[in-house]
Amino acid sequence: MSVARVQIHEFVSEAREHLGGVADDLLALEQRREGEVRPRVDRVFRAVHSIKGGAGFFGCKTIESLAHAMEAVLEHQREQSDPPSAAVVDALLAGVDRLLALLDDVERSNDVDVSALVTRLRGLTPNAVLAPIPNLTLDFVGTALTERPAEHLYLYGLKIDLSECHRRRKLSPLDVIGRLLDHGAILNARLDAPEASLDAPVGTTGIDYRVLFSTSLPPERLSAALDLPAVEIVLLEPQRPTAVADAPEPSRTVSERSESIRIPVQLVDRLMTLAGELVLVRNQAARTLGRDRTFGPVVQRLDAVTSEIQDAVMRTRMQPIGNLFGRFPRLVRDLARQLGKEIDLEASGAEVELDKTILEALSDPLTHLVRNCCDHGIETPERRRQLGKSSAGLISLSARHLGGQIFIEVRDDGKGLDPEAIRRKAVQRGLRSASEASRLGTRELLSLILLPGFSTAEQVTDVSGRGVGMDVVKTNVDRLGGVLEIESEPGRGTTFSLRLPLTLAIIPCLIVTAGGERYAIPQKDLEEFVCVRPGQGRTQIESAHDQEVVRLRERLLPLVRLPEVLARRQPFTVATRTEILRKHRPRRDSADNSTPLIYFAVVKAGSQRFGLIVDDILTTEEVVVKPVHAILKPLAAFSGATILGDGRVALILSIEGVARHAGVTFDVNEEQPLIERNYGPSAESQAVLLFRYGPDEQFAVPLATIRRIETVRMERVERVGEQEFVTVDGISTRILRPDRFLSVSACEPRTEMFLLLPKNPRRPAGVLLSAVVDTDTVSADVTSNAYRADGVVGSAVVRGRMTLFLDVYRLLDSLEPSVTTLALPPPRSGRILLVEDTQFFRSLVKGYLEAAGYEVVTADNGAEGLAALDRGSFDVIVTDIEMPVLDGWGFARGLRARPDGSRIPLLALTTLGSEADRARAEALGFDGYELKLDRERFLEAVAVLRSRR
Amino acid sequence: MRSEEGGARMTSRALAGPERAYCTFRLGDDLFGIDVRHVQSVNLLPPVTPVPHAPLSVSGCVNLRGQVHLVVDLKRLLGAGVTAAGPDTRLIVLKPALGDPFGVLVDRLGDIVTLRPDQIEDRGGGDETMADDLVYAVGKLEGELLVLLDARQFLHRVERTEAS
């Protein structure tokens, strides 16, 4: 289950719980029991409020708006001393019922029209309704209210004085109408001009334009949005038993789709599990009875039926991707308007079905891609016209089946991606060294925008904006076992293509053994299976520094020994790898036929590829993926568990996790043989500088990468801790001694040495050397098997001496935190107290904070929060406002009253967005105020407060 | 309910009802019990698949009726050695309310024992040792003491031992 799905599930069940209590409270209120009115109203308010918050967070607009309307009624009730009237309770109960119905199918809740109920609730809150203007009569009897769009929750009567509009703002009637249409729909209109005015000069008498107007704007925002000088607004009561009144939703749905029934997802999931079980039974039967003369045919029949059942059950979970595509027209329209662009959207393949789980998990990445196209791909209409394109940009969505996979494309005809700009950016961001970046092909360059840290939210340039969140998209797609590719032609457009499996639950796997246990390797991670006898033919297991490699069809493939990975709990270090290397080093004296066969699977994790050595290979099998126990989730090496034909559990390997555990490092452009990689495909001759450091080795560096050689007087070298610096050209330059980073011989102390300064380093630094030998042109026939470490390309014999070829940039990189760490947000530290009553927000926010490196202590309400203060100290406190027992205000007061509490930064994280609330927070000594929930903003706010501490 | 004479301090758990049933079992020679309401079923031990890199107190995973269950070595969790599976070894599977499917290994199953509150002595919680989470009271049986374990703490404890 995806995180989002788990959370929405949590939200739904929590909301249901809340509502159960609410209904009881409302009923009690109706019976007007003495003395308990206020607490009950409070409780109902809090419940509805947290539902609103959750719904808002998950984008359940309909639930949010209904809860909001209910909340407003309750807010009003809180100020009353009398118990609510029967009409109020009635309306609230109707609200509860409707909320429950919406929660039953929360996915489609946004398609449901609740406007009538919302209007009814609004009628009960005097402060929300503008007082009716008596002399404004709007009798649009018979207007078809059904015609208004579902999102138009509000119905208004407007009286606009057109002559005033013209006189005061030079707005023509057409301007006025245009402005109205910008914000809603004109359902009916009437123009009232006094007869006399026809003769009078324009602008002296009023011309009344009366409009029945529907919009999604609430009363408090309508007048500002219209910004018309002379307008009277009336929020209309619903005309109750019209077409939009409370027609029961389910019955309508049923009658519209008489051929479908609704089944709870849990039941489908259960069926899915059972079908999975059946597959296992079939496998078992096939194994034990398949060859039996009597049972054989029966087993075959069982096999066929099982396959069909599995297929059919799988299909019950399938949903057309049109469900997802359906939301984009609106998104694109809104974005286009917001950005001042013209964008058309076309979609094809809406009928293509895929697994519900995948569909749900696709929603975010697809939305992000479409957004990205609108935002950064499509140019402004002016720009497009200049370029000779049609002024409206086009975004096309398409989906199709191909070979058991789904292909989804998001394409725009906008400005495309500029590979050169990406190259510069990647170097500037430190994701690739300049020399590496210069060797990347277009496709590899484009894929760089998927790296975390390629771009940040600052959006300085066109290209930078293009990378925002793309790493998240990639992660989501990876998690689904999919592949994301980018193609782009500058000036012509960009295409994002996604390739996804149809379903997740049953996957074909290769079953292997390691250390006496069986493990499943998903077929999707597998390229081929190789069995070699080392020492025979050309197949050799060689060692490159601490890494075992094998030559497979002229390409070097790193090797990982699965039994060693499984036997070692800690992720590998250089020491671990060296130890493994030593353990498996072939003995020279042993005869060839005594060396055992070695089996390895060539596997890939993302763009990485390596050989995974196993003890044996058993079979391929379709396995049903079972979730692993929560306690085992942190284990990176496994993605799940399954039950094999003999009824035993086997673990499914996560190739990516295994690679991480073993510390295999790869480059993006793995397609090229490792030997040639560092100096490009032209393996011809090149000019190098030969130099020495210690007595034992000779080094070579390509001349092309050297800026100059500087003489360094050693007495002028300054030491800062372990690091050495010398001033070159007025800049403090870091000194890199080869023996500190490579296992090469040390250099005798001397008074004068040389510093090799590379071109365009990321930071001022240079490599120290004792003597320059010469420059020479050598053939790049550098072998990599003799010596390989970060910064060493390979070795060759030059002028009769063993010479190590260095990659200076790599070497310099090793002075700094590794690239991947750089890309991640800097690790934070600190202890944070999180006070939040809603369980799912609590776990969500806690997760955010923990991922950012904080230690988090949680409390369920203000009182518990204060109690937690007694048990420990905190660097920052984050609190919700609306909470039972003791709310955020009370908590703040309690905190600030404590002798130690006044200095701890306090951040409010709430759904209460009004200015009054903010002001109140400030008055109570909150140091920050964040709305639920923008992860980046929130973490930023916490970091700022933390640093203040 | 009020605490009765005899001076025994009642735990809040013991106060919740007059009598309570405990599922008892042995780890080595010692007798332990957990609240029977936390027990889902008692099973023969199916073949266990070890999970590399898992916390040390996790023996592995087993298949019980198509569901993958985590197997926790209770002895190891209590720091009392490692369970060696024998013919009497049983897997006590706990209720789903306690977390994802899991069971604990015991050397031998005992009887279901019913204890009155006055037969239970709270351990008092004076020292802050880890065992406090697990062992919350001692039941006084005739001729033997029954160490009462809080099954709800099992999984937390597995996680904590891993963290440390």
Side-chain angles (χ1 to χ4, degrees), chain A residues 430-700:
Chain A
L431 297 170
R432 287 290 177 271
S433 68
S435 59
E436 277 176 315
S438 66
R439 291 181 229 116
L440 296 177
T442 310
R443 183 175 280 250
E444 289 142 1
L445 277 171
L446 294 184
S447 70
L448 287 180
I449 72 167
L450 301 175
L451 288 179
F454 177 78
S455 182
T456 63
E458 64 200 42
Q459 304 204 10
V460 237
T461 67
D462 294 335
V463 184
S464 77
R466 206 82 215 235
V468 177
M470 288 302 290
D471 58 319
V472 181
V473 172
K474 179 162 165 42
T475 314
N476 281 336
V477 173
D478 283 351
R479 201 168 291 150
L480 295 172
V483 177
L484 172 63
E485 277 172 2
I486 307 167
E487 277 172 57
S488 176
E489 215 179 313
R492 301 288 293 278
T494 308
T495 305
F496 298 99
S497 15
L498 287 156
R499 213 162 67 218
L500 294 162
L502 280 174
T503 63
L504 287 177
I506 298 187
I507 57 170
C509 279
L510 179 77
I511 314 294
V512 300
T513 63
E517 294 295 331
R518 288 170 301 175
Y519 297 92
I521 301 175
Q523 204 93 63
K524 70 169 178 56
D525 296 333
L526 201 64
E527 276 190 354
E528 60 180 309
F529 201 82
V530 182
C531 168
V532 300
R533 191 183 294 280
Q536 289 194 338
R538 301 194 55 201
T539 324
Q540 291 278 3
I541 292 186
E542 296 164 88
S543 55
H545 188 44
D546 59 354
Q547 177 72 61
E548 285 181 288
V549 295
V550 69
R551 286 177 205 231
L552 186 64
R553 289 186 289 277
E554 299 312 311
R555 279 161 62 177
L556 284 184
L557 193 67
L559 288 176
V560 171
R561 292 180 182 268
L562 184 59
E564 299 287 353
V565 169
L566 298 174
R568 289 160 210 265
R569 189 170 285 269
Q570 297 303 325
F572 287 9
T573 60
V574 176
T576 331
R577 280 192 293 268
T578 315
E579 186 191 324
I580 294 170
L581 204 65
R582 207 166 290 147
K583 183 168 154 193
H584 295 281
R585 183 169 292 163
R587 265 167 247 117
R588 281 175 195 279
D589 51 338
S590 65
D592 267 358
N593 37 2
S594 72
T595 49
L597 281 173
I598 286 183
Y599 300 93
F600 62 89
V602 180
V603 291
K604 53 184 191 290
S607 60
Q608 309 180 337
R609 213 166 147 272
F610 61 98
L612 187 65
I613 299 182
V614 298
D615 292 345
D616 201 0
I617 166 180
L618 297 181
T619 172
T620 57
E621 203 168 301
E622 290 211 328
V623 306
V624 182
V625 181
K626 304 273 180 182
V628 294
H629 195 280
I631 283 200
L632 304 180
K633 292 247 164 76
L635 307 186
F638 311 108
S639 62
T642 186
I643 297 167
L644 295 179
D646 62 358
R648 290 209 195 186
V649 176
L651 296 165
I652 302 172
L653 292 175
S654 156
I655 293 303
E656 200 197 331
V658 169
R660 237 181 306 142
H661 194 89
V664 199
T665 46
F666 307 87
D667 271 295
V668 176
N669 48 348
E670 36 70 49
E671 289 308 320
Q672 293 171 28
L674 291 178
I675 305 171
E676 295 175 6
R677 189 192 62 198
N678 285 277
Y679 288 115
S682 60
E684 293 155 18
S685 58
Q686 56 182 326
V688 295
L689 175 82
L690 295 171
F691 65 90
R692 262 190 234 135
Y693 177 71
D696 298 343
E697 301 87 3
Q698 180 167 281
F699 299 90

Side-chain angles (χ1 to χ4, degrees), chain B:
Chain B
M1 244 196 106
R2 296 240 155 66
S3 108
E4 287 159 35
E5 82 286 355
R9 274 173 56 208
M10 302 296 147
T11 66
S12 55
R13 291 171 252 245
L15 284 169
E19 280 192 339
R20 181 145 300 168
Y22 296 89
C23 172
T24 70
F25 50 84
R26 288 190 189 273
L27 302 175
D29 291 329
D30 298 328
L31 189 62
F32 292 87
I34 53 179
D35 193 325
V36 82
R37 291 176 307 172
H38 292 143
V39 175
Q40 171 103 346
S41 63
V42 177
N43 304 267
L44 290 171
L45 184 63
V48 179
T49 303
V51 180
H53 308 168
L56 290 174
S57 50
V58 171
S59 303
C61 286
V62 294
N63 167 22
L64 285 176
R65 291 170 293 279
Q67 253 193 323
V68 176
H69 286 67
L70 191 75
V71 179
V72 173
D73 187 338
L74 195 50
K75 223 190 259 179
R76 199 146 191 176
L77 200 64
L78 289 163
V82 181
T83 304
D88 291 333
T89 307
R90 293 291 179 274
L91 182 68
I92 302 183
V93 172
L94 285 311
K95 287 259 171 78
L98 272 55
D100 285 356
F102 80 107
V104 292
L105 286 181
V106 301
D107 286 336
R108 191 147 43 89
L109 199 66
D111 298 324
I112 301 289
V113 172
T114 309
L115 293 177
R116 295 182 312 275
D118 64 308
Q119 288 177 292
I120 297 174
E121 193 139 353
D122 190 357
R123 258 184 105 254
D127 52 333
E128 289 281 310
T129 59
M130 295 265 281
D132 255 15
D133 294 351
L134 288 180
V135 181
Y136 70 92
V138 175
K140 291 171 281 185
L141 302 181
E142 271 179 44
E144 195 169 13
L145 289 179
L146 172 64
V147 179
L148 297 181
L149 301 178
D150 186 352
R152 289 170 299 187
Q153 298 299 327
F154 288 167
L155 285 180
H156 300 300
R157 184 65 183 281
V158 171
E159 275 174 319
R160 267 170 53 188
T161 43
E162 194 208 14
S164 60

Side-chain angles (χ1 to χ4, degrees), chain A residues 146-315:
Chain A
T146 38
E147 279 167 20
R148 79 174 135 139
E151 71 267 24
H152 286 184
L153 297 179
Y154 302 92
L155 188 63
Y156 299 93
L158 306 180
K159 186 175 116 178
I160 302 165
D161 189 340
L162 292 177
S163 64
E164 275 295 284
C165 289
H166 182 260
R167 195 172 61 79
R168 282 167 46 186
R169 291 277 196 82
K170 298 272 173 274
L171 290 168
S172 74
L174 273 181
D175 291 336
V176 172
I177 291 172
R179 200 165 280 189
L180 289 176
L181 289 177
D182 275 347
H183 294 99
I186 297 176
L187 300 181
N188 204 338
R190 218 172 62 196
L191 198 60
D192 274 359
E195 277 172 38
S197 71
L198 296 177
D199 303 326
V202 176
T204 52
T205 25
I207 304 174
D208 277 352
Y209 181 48
R210 293 171 190 232
V211 183
L212 183 60
F213 185 63
S214 77
T215 172
S216 54
L217 292 172
E220 59 272 22
R221 284 177 48 207
L222 181 64
S223 108
L226 293 177
D227 188 31
L228 291 169
V231 60
E232 286 172 297
I233 301 172
V234 184
L235 178 68
L236 293 177
E237 287 281 341
Q239 309 204 335
R240 275 292 298 279
T242 54
V244 281
D246 302 25
E249 294 300 328
S251 65
R252 212 169 74 182
T253 321
V254 169
S255 64
E256 275 169 11
R257 329 165 158 211
S258 51
E259 287 173 21
S260 346
I261 51 164
R262 280 194 187 190
I263 306 175
V265 176
Q266 292 94 323
L267 183 58
V268 175
D269 285 345
R270 178 98 188 102
L271 271 177
M272 201 63 189
T273 317
L274 290 173
E277 285 307 298
L278 196 56
V279 171
L280 295 177
V281 173
R282 176 199 64 185
N283 291 354
Q284 235 167 325
R287 183 163 302 177
T288 47
L289 300 171
R291 301 239 173 83
D292 188 285
R293 190 175 299 175
T294 325
F295 291 111
V298 180
V299 170
Q300 274 175 21
R301 178 97 189 99
L302 175 68
D303 187 28
V305 175
T306 309
S307 298
E308 268 180 51
I309 288 183
Q310 190 192 324
D311 196 47
V313 172
M314 210 89 102
R315 291 236 303 275

Side-chain angles (χ1 to χ4, degrees), chain A residues 116-133:
Chain A
L117 184 53
V118 166
T119 321
R120 174 176 161 195
L121 286 161
R122 276 178 193 282
L124 300 167
T125 49
N127 49 347
V129 183
L130 302 177
I133 303 158

